């Protein structure tokens, strides 16, 4: 973290773990934003990655798993509480907050970028919320924000939001601009020049000079009719039934493929979360729902098992229990949501 002229610059720099956010990084970002909020010498904030491999892979869920295995569930609760407080602070930040995403951004990485005023993606960027594979729920405010984004499409879609959370679909730069996850696109080779221009000229002037239109069209835009026809339900049972009777087998096959490694409990819980967060008053209330549901789901075996299979052993052979969504009771999840 540094101040360059009037820009507070946050640099994610834990390349060996693809910048996954640990408690120390969350604290450093939180404290820097608090300092700069009332410092008249700082007029804007920029968050970037020092790693050529990407922006940020998510929260440090391996560490969270180790803590749970050591019996410290409440320590993990505290980590997620501070992370979600940071997400909310970014959404309400009184100064421009710009993220430059030049590679992968997932999970917690979206939490420290998507809530900002400027989400700049390069041609190398891609985004996903892959929590279903680790037995966790869509979080860091995205179960709320996804449902409210309008993008160049000009219209919010709760069905699209639920699709993104349940499938972990990888959005391309064109998908991100269309859906509203991104606000601007810049060619990857121009990132260093863009950062210098942000510092010397300000974010908006720099973007007026460097922003461009991505080469590809949004594939997600071509899927929206299928998504609206199937994912606009308040329960997994409703979505599953719509998929079973849907007239486009190619789309259904794509969805089943994307969800093949999903935790059944995580899927059922996440649909309940999206339904609850469709109507919450603000992001903070949406994060409260994620926080409460997260505390329940992290105490079920799928989280430890999913993180093991995806990130520790990397065998992708998670044995989730229950193994079928039909055997998951949504009631304990509903009970903590408001
Ligand atoms: C779901 C997640 C995460 C994930 C994969 C998922 C996540 C996370 C990482 C990750 C990726 C590469 C690393 C690393 C962590 O992957 O939160 O240390 O090198 O941090 O399916 O939520």
């Amino acid at each position: 973290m540094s101040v360059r002229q009037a820009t507070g610059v946050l640099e994610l720099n834990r390349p060996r773990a693809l910048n996954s956010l640990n408690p120390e990084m969350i604290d450093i970002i939180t404290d820097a934003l608090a300092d700069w909020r009332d410092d008249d010498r700082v007029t804007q904030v920029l968050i970037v990655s020092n790693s050529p491999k990407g922006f940020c892979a998510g929260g440090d869920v391996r560490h969270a798993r180790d803590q749970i295995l050591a019996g410290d569930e409440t320590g993990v609760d505290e980590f997620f509480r501070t992370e979600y407080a940071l997400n909310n602070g970014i959404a309400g930040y009184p100064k421009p907050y710009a993220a430059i995403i030049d590679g992968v951004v997932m999970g917690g990485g979206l939490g420290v970028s998507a809530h900002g005023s400027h989400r700049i993606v390069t041609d190398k960027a891609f985004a996903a919320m892959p929590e279903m594979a680790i037995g966790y729920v869509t979080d860091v405010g995205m179960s709320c924000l996804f449902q409210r984004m309008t993008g160049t499409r000009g219209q919010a879609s709760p069905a699209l939001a639920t699709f993104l959370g349940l499938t972990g679909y990888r959005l391309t730069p064109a998908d991100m601009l269309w859906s509203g996850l991104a606000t601007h696109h810049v060619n990857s080779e121009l990132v260093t020049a863009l950062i210098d221009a942000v510092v010397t000229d300000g974010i908006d002037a720099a973007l007026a000079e460097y922003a461009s239109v991505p080469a590809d069209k949004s594939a997600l835009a071509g899927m929206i009719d299928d998504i609206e026809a199937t994912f606009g339900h308040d329960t997994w049972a409703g979505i599953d039934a719509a998929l079973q009777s849907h007239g486009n087998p190619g789309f259904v096959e794509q969805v089943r493929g994307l969800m093949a490694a999903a935790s059944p409990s995580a899927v059922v819980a996440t649909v309940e979360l999206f339904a609850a967060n469709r109507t919450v008053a603000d992001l903070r209330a949406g994060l409260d729902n994620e926080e409460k549901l997260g505390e329940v789901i992290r105490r079920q075996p799928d989280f430890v098992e999913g993180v093991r299979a995806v990130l520790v052993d990397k065998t992708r052979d998670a044995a989730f229990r229950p193994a079928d969504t039909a055997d998951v009771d949504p009631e304990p999840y509903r009970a903590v949501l408001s």
Side-chain angles (χ1 to χ4, degrees):
M1 161 226 357
S2 62
V3 176
R4 287 181 60 186
Q5 299 189 39
T7 303
V9 181
L10 300 162
E11 292 176 65
L12 302 173
N13 187 20
R14 203 161 78 95
R16 277 173 306 152
L18 239 171
N19 288 339
S20 66
L21 301 165
N22 60 25
E24 184 192 1
M25 292 159 79
I26 297 290
D27 288 346
I28 290 171
I29 298 170
T30 299
D31 291 348
L33 291 178
D35 286 346
W36 295 336
R37 170 184 276 268
D38 301 313
D39 184 341
D40 291 341
R41 292 168 299 184
V42 174
T43 60
Q44 55 181 9
V45 175
L46 184 64
I47 184 166
V48 298
S49 164
N50 271 348
S51 167
K53 292 203 318 198
F55 181 76
C56 174
D60 191 356
V61 288
R62 281 170 189 255
H63 179 65
R65 176 177 180 271
D66 290 341
Q67 259 181 293
I68 290 171
L69 289 173
D72 186 16
E73 282 91 351
T74 55
V76 176
D77 296 344
E78 179 59 22
F79 167 70
F80 281 93
R81 208 169 11 252
T82 54
E83 183 182 21
Y84 298 169
L86 171 60
N87 303 147
N88 191 54
I90 292 168
Y93 207 63
K95 300 178 183 184
Y97 179 103
I100 299 180
I101 297 163
D102 186 23
V104 58
V105 60
M106 298 194 302
L110 282 169
V112 295
S113 56
H115 299 292
S117 56
H118 298 69
R119 292 90 63 190
I120 304 154
V121 295
T122 74
D123 43 293
K124 291 200 300 187
F126 62 92
M129 288 298 285
E131 288 74 20
M132 300 307 106
I134 59 162
Y136 197 54
V137 293
T138 308
D139 71 336
V140 295
M142 299 312 295
S143 71
C144 204
L145 182 61
F146 270 162
Q147 307 205 62
R148 288 157 178 78
M149 306 184 311
T150 53
T152 57
R153 178 176 185 233
Q155 192 182 329
S157 170
L160 174 60
T162 309
F163 167 85
L164 294 173
L166 292 188
T167 63
Y169 174 89
R170 273 172 65 151
L171 294 98
T172 64
D175 293 336
M176 289 188 257
L177 290 161
W178 175 79
S179 65
L181 200 50
T183 55
H184 300 82
H185 170 269
V186 170
N187 285 326
S188 186
E189 315 87 77
L190 299 176
V191 164
T192 308
L194 172 70
I195 294 171
D196 289 342
V198 166
V199 169
T200 55
D201 308 331
I203 290 166
D204 291 321
L207 285 169
E209 184 174 359
Y210 286 101
S212 59
V213 176
D216 298 327
K217 288 245 176 300
S218 167
L220 198 54
M223 298 161 66
I224 191 65
D225 291 344
D226 289 315
I227 291 169
E228 290 288 356
T230 49
F231 279 83
H233 298 270
D234 282 355
T235 62
W236 168 250
I239 294 170
D240 195 31
L243 285 167
Q244 280 172 34
S245 64
H246 188 57
N248 181 353
F251 172 74
V252 176
E253 196 182 338
Q254 185 181 2
V255 168
R256 299 295 190 196
L258 289 169
M259 294 184 67
S263 152
S265 300
V267 166
V268 169
T270 296
V271 180
E272 299 296 325
L273 176 63
F274 275 93
N277 280 354
R278 204 153 294 163
T279 52
V280 287
D282 55 19
L283 178 67
R284 186 58 260 181
L287 288 161
D288 287 344
N289 275 332
E290 291 176 354
E291 201 170 301
K292 285 181 273 185
L293 187 59
E295 287 178 10
V296 172
I297 204 114
R298 288 193 301 272
R299 283 163 174 75
Q300 298 186 338
D302 283 11
F303 177 69
V304 162
E305 171 63 0
V307 175
R308 179 203 65 76
V310 174
L311 291 171
V312 179
D313 297 342
K314 303 187 204 298
T315 46
R316 294 205 161 255
D317 61 345
F320 289 130
R321 306 224 192 295
D324 195 313
T325 53
D327 299 319
V328 179
D329 180 7
E331 212 41 60
Y333 308 132
R334 277 178 202 154
V336 297
L337 296 169
S338 55

